[in-house]
Amino acid sequence: MISLSASDRSASSDKPGFSVGGAFALGNRKDDKTRRKAEKAAHVEHSYVDNSYRTDLAVSVQHLSITYRTTFERVPTFKNAIVRAGRGERALVEVKALKDVSIDVPNGTALGIIGANGAGKSTIMRTIAGILPPTDGRVEVWGRASTLLALGVGFNAQLSGRENVILGGLASGLSRQEVNERAEEVAEWAELGDYIDAPMRTYSSGMFSRLAFSVAVHMKPDILMIDEALSAGDAAFREKANAKMEELRSSARAMFLVSHGLSSIKDMCNDCIWLHKGQVMMHDSPEACIDAYTQFVKVGKTPRTMDEM
């Protein structure tokens, strides 16, 4: 089991800022003390469940919060430039991507994650995958995750498809022998023919998606995580991908699928969460979440919205 928890605040996380409402905050250094006092007063000590004995879970997320902080140089006015005598003023942008999210994912679950752009879908996937550390909260993962968070990430366009398959397998923690054993299987499933030995810069987006998906699903993961990876595929590819994910669902601990194609969520998942501005609005069956979501955004469930929302 891999466990990630928010550590004590570092110096970098104590950079100045002052919340002005909503998901964003702007501030400067003179507001530093005010912000820290407000955060300390508002901080809630969460109690966490001990899952060390659990064998029925694939992922446990408890009180997860993720806050992005970055700085930028304000554009000074003439008056401010004179007052500051040329000193630079850096402002802090604070984005609260996830807010106190808690969810347990049992073995055998195919979890769909839906929501508008900026809802926090990709953020929660990256945190579960171990790419992003929690700002607050705890994430526990049982087993090895294979991530397909964006098409072509980690691929070298100058290398051939076969060479990228080998690199992808090694990056997933497989040995050279294991990668070589699965390379042919990956190439055959992707149906690229002789293009498997051509540079990937010559690939179309559909060929990219086939190879990227094939690498992810043939690494025999305990947990498969897919973020918007099926949108570039044609109908035949989606049908084949659906069958492969159904096969994986019976052998892997869990599958996570982020997609604006609500029909894909409905067809491939048996559980679903709806995120909105970093918060879980609903955790229910795919049908119930899709109904609530489409009503919330005030659109009908037409074939176009079911495929592209």
Side-chain angles (χ1 to χ4, degrees):
M1 180 184 73
I2 300 173
S3 178
L4 296 175
S5 300
S7 57
D8 294 335
R9 264 183 208 282
S10 63
S12 62
S13 63
D14 274 336
K15 289 181 180 179
F18 184 76
S19 177
V20 295
F24 297 92
L26 292 173
N28 52 42
R29 292 189 179 279
K30 68 181 181 180
D31 297 318
D32 189 23
K33 292 182 180 179
T34 304
R35 179 189 64 80
R36 285 188 288 184
K37 287 181 180 179
E39 285 185 349
K40 186 175 180 181
H43 182 69
V44 178
E45 290 293 336
H46 297 298
S47 58
Y48 298 102
V49 178
D50 180 15
N51 289 318
S52 58
Y53 66 94
R54 300 288 294 270
T55 59
D56 61 318
L57 292 180
V59 172
S60 177
V61 176
Q62 300 184 54
H63 303 293
L64 175 65
S65 294
I66 297 289
T67 300
Y68 298 113
R69 292 187 177 96
T70 185
T71 59
F72 69 95
E73 191 76 27
R74 289 184 186 275
V75 178
T77 63
F78 180 72
K79 179 181 177 180
N80 287 340
I82 295 176
V83 171
R84 292 188 289 106
R87 295 190 302 271
E89 181 184 357
R90 297 192 69 81
L92 179 77
V93 177
E94 186 176 89
V95 182
K96 297 180 179 178
L98 292 175
K99 308 171 189 175
D100 196 22
V101 174
S102 296
I103 180 175
D104 286 339
V105 182
N107 293 331
T109 300
L111 180 70
I113 304 176
I114 63 175
N117 291 329
K121 305 184 299 295
S122 295
T123 297
I124 193 172
M125 291 276 277
R126 283 163 168 75
T127 305
I128 294 173
I131 299 171
L132 289 176
T135 302
D136 194 15
R138 177 183 296 173
V139 177
E140 296 169 296
V141 179
W142 285 259
R144 184 183 66 198
S146 178
T147 58
L148 186 51
L149 302 180
L151 290 177
V153 169
F155 282 164
N156 187 328
Q158 302 304 317
L159 299 180
S160 70
R162 190 182 304 277
E163 289 168 330
N164 277 289
V165 169
I166 295 173
L167 288 176
L170 294 175
S172 299
L174 300 179
S175 67
R176 171 71 70 168
Q177 181 179 354
E178 290 175 316
V179 169
N180 290 333
E181 289 174 353
R182 296 175 191 177
E184 287 301 325
E185 185 180 359
V186 169
E188 182 179 351
W189 193 92
E191 296 180 354
L192 296 179
D194 293 338
Y195 276 100
I196 192 65
D197 293 308
M200 289 197 69
R201 56 184 168 79
T202 64
Y203 286 17
S204 66
S205 60
M207 294 165 71
F208 244 83
S209 66
R210 284 178 176 272
L211 187 61
F213 185 86
S214 184
V215 170
V217 299
H218 284 87
M219 295 301 117
K220 301 192 184 303
D222 297 308
I223 299 169
L224 179 63
M225 311 182 74
I226 303 173
D227 187 356
E228 301 294 352
L230 303 180
S231 57
D234 55 23
F237 169 71
R238 293 191 187 190
E239 189 68 25
K240 187 173 183 178
N242 290 353
K244 187 62 179 179
M245 286 193 288
E246 186 65 32
E247 175 188 332
L248 282 172
R249 196 170 72 178
S250 62
S251 59
R253 286 183 180 271
M255 182 186 76
F256 292 77
L257 176 61
V258 170
S259 178
H260 286 287
L262 301 183
S263 58
S264 297
I265 298 289
K266 186 175 181 180
D267 293 341
M268 290 185 281
C269 300
N270 56 17
D271 198 9
C272 187
I273 60 172
W274 164 27
L275 291 176
H276 180 66
K277 293 184 178 180
Q279 296 178 304
V280 177
M281 299 289 287
M282 189 174 187
H283 182 190
D284 208 320
S285 66
E287 293 81 2
C289 287
I290 290 171
D291 287 342
Y293 176 51
T294 52
Q295 290 177 14
F296 180 79
V297 297
K298 297 180 181 179
V299 297
K301 292 193 293 183
T302 65
R304 181 174 180 178
T305 59
M306 291 294 285
D307 283 341
E308 299 180 4
M309 278 188 59

PDB file of all heavy atoms in Angstrom, residues 194-228:
ATOM      1  N   ASP A 194       3.399  -1.690 -40.102  1.00  0.00           N
ATOM      2  CA  ASP A 194       4.802  -1.297 -40.236  1.00  0.00           C
ATOM      3  C   ASP A 194       5.102   0.048 -39.574  1.00  0.00           C
ATOM      4  O   ASP A 194       6.256   0.378 -39.327  1.00  0.00           O
ATOM      5  CB  ASP A 194       5.190  -1.219 -41.717  1.00  0.00           C
ATOM      6  CG  ASP A 194       5.174  -2.592 -42.379  1.00  0.00           C
ATOM      7  OD1 ASP A 194       5.291  -3.595 -41.637  1.00  0.00           O
ATOM      8  OD2 ASP A 194       5.043  -2.662 -43.621  1.00  0.00           O
ATOM      9  N   TYR A 195       4.041   0.800 -39.278  1.00  0.00           N
ATOM     10  CA  TYR A 195       4.255   2.105 -38.640  1.00  0.00           C
ATOM     11  C   TYR A 195       4.805   1.975 -37.227  1.00  0.00           C
ATOM     12  O   TYR A 195       5.282   2.958 -36.657  1.00  0.00           O
ATOM     13  CB  TYR A 195       2.946   2.900 -38.599  1.00  0.00           C
ATOM     14  CG  TYR A 195       2.658   3.650 -39.870  1.00  0.00           C
ATOM     15  CD1 TYR A 195       1.770   3.133 -40.807  1.00  0.00           C
ATOM     16  CD2 TYR A 195       3.256   4.874 -40.130  1.00  0.00           C
ATOM     17  CE1 TYR A 195       1.490   3.809 -41.977  1.00  0.00           C
ATOM     18  CE2 TYR A 195       2.988   5.563 -41.305  1.00  0.00           C
ATOM     19  CZ  TYR A 195       2.103   5.029 -42.221  1.00  0.00           C
ATOM     20  OH  TYR A 195       1.839   5.708 -43.397  1.00  0.00           O
ATOM     21  N   ILE A 196       4.734   0.785 -36.635  1.00  0.00           N
ATOM     22  CA  ILE A 196       5.256   0.605 -35.287  1.00  0.00           C
ATOM     23  C   ILE A 196       6.752   0.902 -35.238  1.00  0.00           C
ATOM     24  O   ILE A 196       7.296   1.281 -34.197  1.00  0.00           O
ATOM     25  CB  ILE A 196       4.979  -0.829 -34.777  1.00  0.00           C
ATOM     26  CG1 ILE A 196       5.260  -0.937 -33.266  1.00  0.00           C
ATOM     27  CG2 ILE A 196       5.775  -1.851 -35.546  1.00  0.00           C
ATOM     28  CD1 ILE A 196       4.356  -0.120 -32.407  1.00  0.00           C
ATOM     29  N   ASP A 197       7.437   0.775 -36.366  1.00  0.00           N
ATOM     30  CA  ASP A 197       8.870   1.059 -36.427  1.00  0.00           C
ATOM     31  C   ASP A 197       9.178   2.399 -37.086  1.00  0.00           C
ATOM     32  O   ASP A 197      10.350   2.706 -37.354  1.00  0.00           O
ATOM     33  CB  ASP A 197       9.595  -0.066 -37.176  1.00  0.00           C
ATOM     34  CG  ASP A 197       9.552  -1.383 -36.411  1.00  0.00           C
ATOM     35  OD1 ASP A 197       9.928  -1.374 -35.228  1.00  0.00           O
ATOM     36  OD2 ASP A 197       9.130  -2.395 -36.988  1.00  0.00           O
ATOM     37  N   ALA A 198       8.133   3.208 -37.324  1.00  0.00           N
ATOM     38  CA  ALA A 198       8.326   4.544 -37.893  1.00  0.00           C
ATOM     39  C   ALA A 198       8.381   5.575 -36.760  1.00  0.00           C
ATOM     40  O   ALA A 198       7.837   5.353 -35.673  1.00  0.00           O
ATOM     41  CB  ALA A 198       7.184   4.878 -38.847  1.00  0.00           C
ATOM     42  N   PRO A 199       9.034   6.714 -36.987  1.00  0.00           N
ATOM     43  CA  PRO A 199       9.067   7.760 -35.952  1.00  0.00           C
ATOM     44  C   PRO A 199       7.653   8.228 -35.604  1.00  0.00           C
ATOM     45  O   PRO A 199       6.797   8.358 -36.489  1.00  0.00           O
ATOM     46  CB  PRO A 199       9.867   8.892 -36.618  1.00  0.00           C
ATOM     47  CG  PRO A 199      10.658   8.220 -37.683  1.00  0.00           C
ATOM     48  CD  PRO A 199       9.815   7.080 -38.180  1.00  0.00           C
ATOM     49  N   MET A 200       7.419   8.506 -34.324  1.00  0.00           N
ATOM     50  CA  MET A 200       6.078   8.868 -33.900  1.00  0.00           C
ATOM     51  C   MET A 200       5.652  10.248 -34.389  1.00  0.00           C
ATOM     52  O   MET A 200       4.461  10.578 -34.354  1.00  0.00           O
ATOM     53  CB  MET A 200       5.960   8.785 -32.378  1.00  0.00           C
ATOM     54  CG  MET A 200       5.972   7.350 -31.866  1.00  0.00           C
ATOM     55  SD  MET A 200       5.349   7.197 -30.187  1.00  0.00           S
ATOM     56  CE  MET A 200       3.622   7.572 -30.410  1.00  0.00           C
ATOM     57  N   ARG A 201       6.585  11.048 -34.869  1.00  0.00           N
ATOM     58  CA  ARG A 201       6.218  12.341 -35.434  1.00  0.00           C
ATOM     59  C   ARG A 201       5.422  12.172 -36.730  1.00  0.00           C
ATOM     60  O   ARG A 201       4.782  13.125 -37.210  1.00  0.00           O
ATOM     61  CB  ARG A 201       7.460  13.195 -35.694  1.00  0.00           C
ATOM     62  CG  ARG A 201       8.501  12.564 -36.573  1.00  0.00           C
ATOM     63  CD  ARG A 201       9.753  13.435 -36.707  1.00  0.00           C
ATOM     64  NE  ARG A 201      10.858  12.719 -37.322  1.00  0.00           N
ATOM     65  CZ  ARG A 201      10.986  12.492 -38.606  1.00  0.00           C
ATOM     66  NH1 ARG A 201      10.062  12.936 -39.432  1.00  0.00           N
ATOM     67  NH2 ARG A 201      12.035  11.836 -39.072  1.00  0.00           N
ATOM     68  N   THR A 202       5.452  10.974 -37.311  1.00  0.00           N
ATOM     69  CA  THR A 202       4.688  10.712 -38.532  1.00  0.00           C
ATOM     70  C   THR A 202       3.296  10.173 -38.226  1.00  0.00           C
ATOM     71  O   THR A 202       2.524   9.941 -39.146  1.00  0.00           O
ATOM     72  CB  THR A 202       5.436   9.689 -39.407  1.00  0.00           C
ATOM     73  OG1 THR A 202       5.508   8.423 -38.716  1.00  0.00           O
ATOM     74  CG2 THR A 202       6.846  10.168 -39.719  1.00  0.00           C
ATOM     75  N   TYR A 203       2.949   9.999 -36.933  1.00  0.00           N
ATOM     76  CA  TYR A 203       1.671   9.401 -36.549  1.00  0.00           C
ATOM     77  C   TYR A 203       0.549  10.434 -36.572  1.00  0.00           C
ATOM     78  O   TYR A 203       0.751  11.611 -36.255  1.00  0.00           O
ATOM     79  CB  TYR A 203       1.744   8.809 -35.143  1.00  0.00           C
ATOM     80  CG  TYR A 203       2.518   7.517 -35.019  1.00  0.00           C
ATOM     81  CD1 TYR A 203       3.394   7.087 -36.005  1.00  0.00           C
ATOM     82  CD2 TYR A 203       2.377   6.721 -33.881  1.00  0.00           C
ATOM     83  CE1 TYR A 203       4.103   5.917 -35.874  1.00  0.00           C
ATOM     84  CE2 TYR A 203       3.083   5.538 -33.734  1.00  0.00           C
ATOM     85  CZ  TYR A 203       3.943   5.144 -34.740  1.00  0.00           C
ATOM     86  OH  TYR A 203       4.657   3.977 -34.612  1.00  0.00           O
ATOM     87  N   SER A 204      -0.642   9.987 -36.911  1.00  0.00           N
ATOM     88  CA  SER A 204      -1.830  10.811 -36.748  1.00  0.00           C
ATOM     89  C   SER A 204      -2.272  10.760 -35.283  1.00  0.00           C
ATOM     90  O   SER A 204      -1.756   9.957 -34.488  1.00  0.00           O
ATOM     91  CB  SER A 204      -2.961  10.293 -37.635  1.00  0.00           C
ATOM     92  OG  SER A 204      -3.379   9.000 -37.181  1.00  0.00           O
ATOM     93  N   SER A 205      -3.236  11.609 -34.905  1.00  0.00           N
ATOM     94  CA  SER A 205      -3.718  11.604 -33.518  1.00  0.00           C
ATOM     95  C   SER A 205      -4.362  10.260 -33.167  1.00  0.00           C
ATOM     96  O   SER A 205      -4.242   9.777 -32.042  1.00  0.00           O
ATOM     97  CB  SER A 205      -4.713  12.738 -33.303  1.00  0.00           C
ATOM     98  OG  SER A 205      -5.833  12.598 -34.164  1.00  0.00           O
ATOM     99  N   GLY A 206      -5.033   9.644 -34.135  1.00  0.00           N
ATOM    100  CA  GLY A 206      -5.633   8.342 -33.876  1.00  0.00           C
ATOM    101  C   GLY A 206      -4.590   7.267 -33.634  1.00  0.00           C
ATOM    102  O   GLY A 206      -4.764   6.403 -32.770  1.00  0.00           O
ATOM    103  N   MET A 207      -3.510   7.300 -34.384  1.00  0.00           N
ATOM    104  CA  MET A 207      -2.429   6.334 -34.184  1.00  0.00           C
ATOM    105  C   MET A 207      -1.746   6.563 -32.837  1.00  0.00           C
ATOM    106  O   MET A 207      -1.394   5.616 -32.136  1.00  0.00           O
ATOM    107  CB  MET A 207      -1.412   6.442 -35.326  1.00  0.00           C
ATOM    108  CG  MET A 207      -1.983   6.037 -36.675  1.00  0.00           C
ATOM    109  SD  MET A 207      -0.956   6.562 -38.065  1.00  0.00           S
ATOM    110  CE  MET A 207       0.455   5.471 -37.876  1.00  0.00           C
ATOM    111  N   PHE A 208      -1.601   7.835 -32.469  1.00  0.00           N
ATOM    112  CA  PHE A 208      -1.061   8.162 -31.149  1.00  0.00           C
ATOM    113  C   PHE A 208      -1.915   7.544 -30.057  1.00  0.00           C
ATOM    114  O   PHE A 208      -1.407   6.919 -29.121  1.00  0.00           O
ATOM    115  CB  PHE A 208      -1.039   9.696 -30.980  1.00  0.00           C
ATOM    116  CG  PHE A 208       0.335  10.266 -30.842  1.00  0.00           C
ATOM    117  CD1 PHE A 208       1.098  10.534 -31.969  1.00  0.00           C
ATOM    118  CD2 PHE A 208       0.873  10.536 -29.597  1.00  0.00           C
ATOM    119  CE1 PHE A 208       2.371  11.083 -31.850  1.00  0.00           C
ATOM    120  CE2 PHE A 208       2.136  11.079 -29.474  1.00  0.00           C
ATOM    121  CZ  PHE A 208       2.896  11.355 -30.600  1.00  0.00           C
ATOM    122  N   SER A 209      -3.228   7.728 -30.167  1.00  0.00           N
ATOM    123  CA  SER A 209      -4.136   7.245 -29.127  1.00  0.00           C
ATOM    124  C   SER A 209      -4.115   5.732 -29.030  1.00  0.00           C
ATOM    125  O   SER A 209      -4.155   5.169 -27.928  1.00  0.00           O
ATOM    126  CB  SER A 209      -5.558   7.746 -29.396  1.00  0.00           C
ATOM    127  OG  SER A 209      -6.081   7.182 -30.585  1.00  0.00           O
ATOM    128  N   ARG A 210      -4.038   5.069 -30.164  1.00  0.00           N
ATOM    129  CA  ARG A 210      -3.990   3.606 -30.143  1.00  0.00           C
ATOM    130  C   ARG A 210      -2.758   3.102 -29.399  1.00  0.00           C
ATOM    131  O   ARG A 210      -2.856   2.216 -28.541  1.00  0.00           O
ATOM    132  CB  ARG A 210      -3.976   3.063 -31.581  1.00  0.00           C
ATOM    133  CG  ARG A 210      -5.317   3.102 -32.283  1.00  0.00           C
ATOM    134  CD  ARG A 210      -5.188   2.599 -33.712  1.00  0.00           C
ATOM    135  NE  ARG A 210      -6.473   2.544 -34.381  1.00  0.00           N
ATOM    136  CZ  ARG A 210      -7.297   1.510 -34.354  1.00  0.00           C
ATOM    137  NH1 ARG A 210      -6.978   0.432 -33.669  1.00  0.00           N
ATOM    138  NH2 ARG A 210      -8.443   1.546 -35.006  1.00  0.00           N
ATOM    139  N   LEU A 211      -1.615   3.670 -29.731  1.00  0.00           N
ATOM    140  CA  LEU A 211      -0.384   3.193 -29.112  1.00  0.00           C
ATOM    141  C   LEU A 211      -0.329   3.561 -27.630  1.00  0.00           C
ATOM    142  O   LEU A 211       0.052   2.739 -26.791  1.00  0.00           O
ATOM    143  CB  LEU A 211       0.829   3.769 -29.838  1.00  0.00           C
ATOM    144  CG  LEU A 211       2.178   3.199 -29.387  1.00  0.00           C
ATOM    145  CD1 LEU A 211       2.230   1.687 -29.632  1.00  0.00           C
ATOM    146  CD2 LEU A 211       3.331   3.877 -30.100  1.00  0.00           C
ATOM    147  N   ALA A 212      -0.717   4.799 -27.297  1.00  0.00           N
ATOM    148  CA  ALA A 212      -0.685   5.229 -25.897  1.00  0.00           C
ATOM    149  C   ALA A 212      -1.606   4.378 -25.040  1.00  0.00           C
ATOM    150  O   ALA A 212      -1.243   3.936 -23.942  1.00  0.00           O
ATOM    151  CB  ALA A 212      -1.076   6.704 -25.797  1.00  0.00           C
ATOM    152  N   PHE A 213      -2.809   4.124 -25.533  1.00  0.00           N
ATOM    153  CA  PHE A 213      -3.756   3.304 -24.785  1.00  0.00           C
ATOM    154  C   PHE A 213      -3.258   1.874 -24.664  1.00  0.00           C
ATOM    155  O   PHE A 213      -3.363   1.248 -23.604  1.00  0.00           O
ATOM    156  CB  PHE A 213      -5.122   3.338 -25.471  1.00  0.00           C
ATOM    157  CG  PHE A 213      -6.199   2.624 -24.709  1.00  0.00           C
ATOM    158  CD1 PHE A 213      -6.909   3.283 -23.726  1.00  0.00           C
ATOM    159  CD2 PHE A 213      -6.487   1.293 -24.969  1.00  0.00           C
ATOM    160  CE1 PHE A 213      -7.891   2.624 -23.012  1.00  0.00           C
ATOM    161  CE2 PHE A 213      -7.467   0.630 -24.271  1.00  0.00           C
ATOM    162  CZ  PHE A 213      -8.182   1.298 -23.287  1.00  0.00           C
ATOM    163  N   SER A 214      -2.698   1.360 -25.742  1.00  0.00           N
ATOM    164  CA  SER A 214      -2.205  -0.011 -25.729  1.00  0.00           C
ATOM    165  C   SER A 214      -1.084  -0.186 -24.713  1.00  0.00           C
ATOM    166  O   SER A 214      -1.033  -1.189 -23.989  1.00  0.00           O
ATOM    167  CB  SER A 214      -1.712  -0.402 -27.124  1.00  0.00           C
ATOM    168  OG  SER A 214      -1.318  -1.759 -27.167  1.00  0.00           O
ATOM    169  N   VAL A 215      -0.178   0.793 -24.626  1.00  0.00           N
ATOM    170  CA  VAL A 215       0.900   0.718 -23.639  1.00  0.00           C
ATOM    171  C   VAL A 215       0.324   0.682 -22.232  1.00  0.00           C
ATOM    172  O   VAL A 215       0.737  -0.115 -21.379  1.00  0.00           O
ATOM    173  CB  VAL A 215       1.858   1.917 -23.798  1.00  0.00           C
ATOM    174  CG1 VAL A 215       2.825   1.989 -22.628  1.00  0.00           C
ATOM    175  CG2 VAL A 215       2.643   1.794 -25.096  1.00  0.00           C
ATOM    176  N   ALA A 216      -0.663   1.553 -21.970  1.00  0.00           N
ATOM    177  CA  ALA A 216      -1.223   1.655 -20.623  1.00  0.00           C
ATOM    178  C   ALA A 216      -1.916   0.364 -20.192  1.00  0.00           C
ATOM    179  O   ALA A 216      -1.732  -0.101 -19.064  1.00  0.00           O
ATOM    180  CB  ALA A 216      -2.199   2.826 -20.551  1.00  0.00           C
ATOM    181  N   VAL A 217      -2.716  -0.228 -21.073  1.00  0.00           N
ATOM    182  CA  VAL A 217      -3.519  -1.379 -20.667  1.00  0.00           C
ATOM    183  C   VAL A 217      -2.747  -2.690 -20.691  1.00  0.00           C
ATOM    184  O   VAL A 217      -3.187  -3.678 -20.093  1.00  0.00           O
ATOM    185  CB  VAL A 217      -4.788  -1.503 -21.548  1.00  0.00           C
ATOM    186  CG1 VAL A 217      -5.646  -0.273 -21.404  1.00  0.00           C
ATOM    187  CG2 VAL A 217      -4.415  -1.746 -23.014  1.00  0.00           C
ATOM    188  N   HIS A 218      -1.596  -2.722 -21.368  1.00  0.00           N
ATOM    189  CA  HIS A 218      -0.836  -3.968 -21.432  1.00  0.00           C
ATOM    190  C   HIS A 218       0.292  -4.039 -20.401  1.00  0.00           C
ATOM    191  O   HIS A 218       1.080  -4.984 -20.431  1.00  0.00           O
ATOM    192  CB  HIS A 218      -0.264  -4.182 -22.841  1.00  0.00           C
ATOM    193  CG  HIS A 218      -1.287  -4.641 -23.830  1.00  0.00           C
ATOM    194  ND1 HIS A 218      -2.067  -3.755 -24.541  1.00  0.00           N
ATOM    195  CD2 HIS A 218      -1.675  -5.885 -24.214  1.00  0.00           C
ATOM    196  CE1 HIS A 218      -2.890  -4.436 -25.332  1.00  0.00           C
ATOM    197  NE2 HIS A 218      -2.663  -5.727 -25.156  1.00  0.00           N
ATOM    198  N   MET A 219       0.360  -3.075 -19.502  1.00  0.00           N
ATOM    199  CA  MET A 219       1.342  -3.135 -18.426  1.00  0.00           C
ATOM    200  C   MET A 219       0.807  -3.913 -17.223  1.00  0.00           C
ATOM    201  O   MET A 219       1.406  -3.917 -16.159  1.00  0.00           O
ATOM    202  CB  MET A 219       1.745  -1.719 -17.991  1.00  0.00           C
ATOM    203  CG  MET A 219       2.481  -0.947 -19.074  1.00  0.00           C
ATOM    204  SD  MET A 219       4.003  -1.760 -19.641  1.00  0.00           S
ATOM    205  CE  MET A 219       3.609  -2.080 -21.367  1.00  0.00           C
ATOM    206  N   LYS A 220      -0.351  -4.534 -17.404  1.00  0.00           N
ATOM    207  CA  LYS A 220      -1.010  -5.348 -16.365  1.00  0.00           C
ATOM    208  C   LYS A 220      -1.064  -4.587 -15.044  1.00  0.00           C
ATOM    209  O   LYS A 220      -0.529  -5.019 -14.028  1.00  0.00           O
ATOM    210  CB  LYS A 220      -0.292  -6.687 -16.198  1.00  0.00           C
ATOM    211  CG  LYS A 220      -0.258  -7.519 -17.462  1.00  0.00           C
ATOM    212  CD  LYS A 220       0.195  -8.929 -17.208  1.00  0.00           C
ATOM    213  CE  LYS A 220       0.314  -9.714 -18.510  1.00  0.00           C
ATOM    214  NZ  LYS A 220      -0.913  -9.760 -19.283  1.00  0.00           N
ATOM    215  N   PRO A 221      -1.758  -3.445 -15.038  1.00  0.00           N
ATOM    216  CA  PRO A 221      -1.791  -2.619 -13.830  1.00  0.00           C
ATOM    217  C   PRO A 221      -2.769  -3.147 -12.789  1.00  0.00           C
ATOM    218  O   PRO A 221      -3.737  -3.839 -13.114  1.00  0.00           O
ATOM    219  CB  PRO A 221      -2.273  -1.265 -14.363  1.00  0.00           C
ATOM    220  CG  PRO A 221      -3.164  -1.641 -15.515  1.00  0.00           C
ATOM    221  CD  PRO A 221      -2.522  -2.854 -16.144  1.00  0.00           C
ATOM    222  N   ASP A 222      -2.505  -2.795 -11.531  1.00  0.00           N
ATOM    223  CA  ASP A 222      -3.495  -3.032 -10.482  1.00  0.00           C
ATOM    224  C   ASP A 222      -4.606  -1.995 -10.577  1.00  0.00           C
ATOM    225  O   ASP A 222      -5.760  -2.276 -10.310  1.00  0.00           O
ATOM    226  CB  ASP A 222      -2.832  -2.952  -9.102  1.00  0.00           C
ATOM    227  CG  ASP A 222      -1.783  -4.030  -8.897  1.00  0.00           C
ATOM    228  OD1 ASP A 222      -2.115  -5.209  -9.119  1.00  0.00           O
ATOM    229  OD2 ASP A 222      -0.640  -3.699  -8.541  1.00  0.00           O
ATOM    230  N   ILE A 223      -4.226  -0.777 -10.951  1.00  0.00           N
ATOM    231  CA  ILE A 223      -5.187   0.318 -11.078  1.00  0.00           C
ATOM    232  C   ILE A 223      -4.921   1.028 -12.399  1.00  0.00           C
ATOM    233  O   ILE A 223      -3.799   1.473 -12.655  1.00  0.00           O
ATOM    234  CB  ILE A 223      -5.054   1.319  -9.911  1.00  0.00           C
ATOM    235  CG1 ILE A 223      -5.336   0.610  -8.587  1.00  0.00           C
ATOM    236  CG2 ILE A 223      -6.002   2.499 -10.090  1.00  0.00           C
ATOM    237  CD1 ILE A 223      -4.983   1.427  -7.365  1.00  0.00           C
ATOM    238  N   LEU A 224      -5.939   1.139 -13.233  1.00  0.00           N
ATOM    239  CA  LEU A 224      -5.821   1.800 -14.526  1.00  0.00           C
ATOM    240  C   LEU A 224      -6.492   3.161 -14.441  1.00  0.00           C
ATOM    241  O   LEU A 224      -7.648   3.271 -14.038  1.00  0.00           O
ATOM    242  CB  LEU A 224      -6.476   0.964 -15.626  1.00  0.00           C
ATOM    243  CG  LEU A 224      -6.460   1.554 -17.041  1.00  0.00           C
ATOM    244  CD1 LEU A 224      -5.034   1.709 -17.538  1.00  0.00           C
ATOM    245  CD2 LEU A 224      -7.274   0.682 -17.992  1.00  0.00           C
ATOM    246  N   MET A 225      -5.753   4.214 -14.820  1.00  0.00           N
ATOM    247  CA  MET A 225      -6.270   5.580 -14.733  1.00  0.00           C
ATOM    248  C   MET A 225      -6.198   6.228 -16.103  1.00  0.00           C
ATOM    249  O   MET A 225      -5.114   6.342 -16.684  1.00  0.00           O
ATOM    250  CB  MET A 225      -5.459   6.383 -13.706  1.00  0.00           C
ATOM    251  CG  MET A 225      -5.292   5.667 -12.371  1.00  0.00           C
ATOM    252  SD  MET A 225      -4.399   6.634 -11.145  1.00  0.00           S
ATOM    253  CE  MET A 225      -5.668   7.814 -10.719  1.00  0.00           C
ATOM    254  N   ILE A 226      -7.352   6.663 -16.615  1.00  0.00           N
ATOM    255  CA  ILE A 226      -7.439   7.208 -17.967  1.00  0.00           C
ATOM    256  C   ILE A 226      -8.120   8.561 -17.914  1.00  0.00           C
ATOM    257  O   ILE A 226      -9.231   8.691 -17.395  1.00  0.00           O
ATOM    258  CB  ILE A 226      -8.228   6.263 -18.897  1.00  0.00           C
ATOM    259  CG1 ILE A 226      -7.588   4.874 -18.910  1.00  0.00           C
ATOM    260  CG2 ILE A 226      -8.305   6.829 -20.302  1.00  0.00           C
ATOM    261  CD1 ILE A 226      -8.385   3.848 -19.652  1.00  0.00           C
ATOM    262  N   ASP A 227      -7.443   9.583 -18.446  1.00  0.00           N
ATOM    263  CA  ASP A 227      -7.957  10.947 -18.430  1.00  0.00           C
ATOM    264  C   ASP A 227      -8.096  11.462 -19.855  1.00  0.00           C
ATOM    265  O   ASP A 227      -7.102  11.794 -20.503  1.00  0.00           O
ATOM    266  CB  ASP A 227      -7.005  11.843 -17.621  1.00  0.00           C
ATOM    267  CG  ASP A 227      -7.559  13.250 -17.420  1.00  0.00           C
ATOM    268  OD1 ASP A 227      -8.635  13.541 -17.973  1.00  0.00           O
ATOM    269  OD2 ASP A 227      -6.923  14.045 -16.726  1.00  0.00           O
ATOM    270  N   GLU A 228      -9.336  11.541 -20.346  1.00  0.00           N
ATOM    271  CA  GLU A 228      -9.628  12.111 -21.669  1.00  0.00           C
ATOM    272  C   GLU A 228      -8.820  11.447 -22.776  1.00  0.00           C
ATOM    273  O   GLU A 228      -8.391  12.099 -23.712  1.00  0.00           O
ATOM    274  CB  GLU A 228      -9.331  13.617 -21.669  1.00  0.00           C
ATOM    275  CG  GLU A 228     -10.131  14.405 -20.655  1.00  0.00           C
ATOM    276  CD  GLU A 228     -11.624  14.433 -20.946  1.00  0.00           C
ATOM    277  OE1 GLU A 228     -12.033  13.960 -22.014  1.00  0.00           O
ATOM    278  OE2 GLU A 228     -12.373  14.906 -20.102  1.00  0.00           O
TER     279      GLU A 228
END
